[in-house]
Each structure stands twice: as structure tokens, then as C-alpha cells.
Amino acid sequence: MANVITDEMMDYVGILAKLELPEEEREQAKKDMGRMLDYIDLLNELDTSGVEPMSHIFPVRNVFREDVVRNEDEREQMLANAPAVKDGAYKVPKTVE
């Protein structure tokens, strides 16, 4: 285990994560964090010189639809589910005296 986690590091991580661990859980967390860092060091030993950087494992493409302007009067459709309608508009309770 090359990565040794100190009490000061645990205090700092606790502040960042807004966690308070009891002493018995704290020791186990120190061991777990050390193992995680050792694993990351192991991954850093891999030769990735021929691997192209990527942001996602799947091909990402724009999933938005084309913005098409339509001049349609959809008032009836919009008001169909309204609980109350008056003069072609939503009717809402008065909020200001």
C-alpha cells in the first residue's frame, strides 16, 4: 500500500464531504481510500499512448429536433386541460388585492 492516508487528509476530506465518521469507521475509511488510490496508481501504469481521448463511450450526436416555425392557432388544445377558462385565457385566482 503505497498511498498512506493521514488523519489530516481524513479531516480535510470530511470537511469537503460534510461527513463526520466515528473513530472505528474512520480507520476503515482510511484503509478503503488507500486501496482506491493504489488502484488508481495501477491504472496509471497502463500504456494509453495509442488511445484517442474521448468524452463518452458511445457516439454522441445532437438529439434536438429542427426548430420549425409554425403559425398555428393551438389555443383550444392548450386550454383543453385547463381547470378554468375565461375569454380564451386561463382563469386563475386573484393573488393581489
Side-chain angles (χ1 to χ4, degrees):
M1 193 188 260
N3 292 298
V4 178
I5 307 298
T6 64
D7 288 329
E8 292 79 24
M9 292 168 89
M10 286 300 293
D11 290 338
Y12 182 66
V13 170
I15 290 169
L16 292 176
K18 297 185 181 187
L19 291 174
E20 248 180 72
L21 294 175
E23 194 58 39
E24 58 274 1
E25 290 182 24
R26 197 176 161 99
E27 289 304 314
Q28 184 61 42
K30 282 169 62 173
K31 290 177 189 173
D32 290 343
M33 287 176 66
R35 283 197 300 261
M36 284 187 264
L37 292 174
D38 288 339
Y39 185 70
I40 291 170
D41 286 344
L42 182 67
L43 291 175
N44 285 334
E45 293 175 9
L46 293 173
D47 178 25
T48 58
S49 58
V51 179
E52 204 174 309
M54 65 170 104
S55 62
H56 202 278
I57 60 170
F58 299 111
V60 179
R61 60 184 173 80
N62 189 354
V63 295
F64 298 115
R65 65 169 171 76
E66 287 294 320
D67 190 15
V68 178
V69 178
R70 299 182 307 184
N71 292 325
E72 297 177 8
D73 185 11
E74 298 177 355
R75 179 177 298 193
E76 295 301 321
Q77 289 176 327
M78 290 187 291
L79 296 175
N81 293 322
V85 177
K86 181 179 180 185
D87 298 328
Y90 295 101
K91 184 175 178 184
V92 297
K94 187 175 181 179
T95 57
V96 179
E97 293 295 326

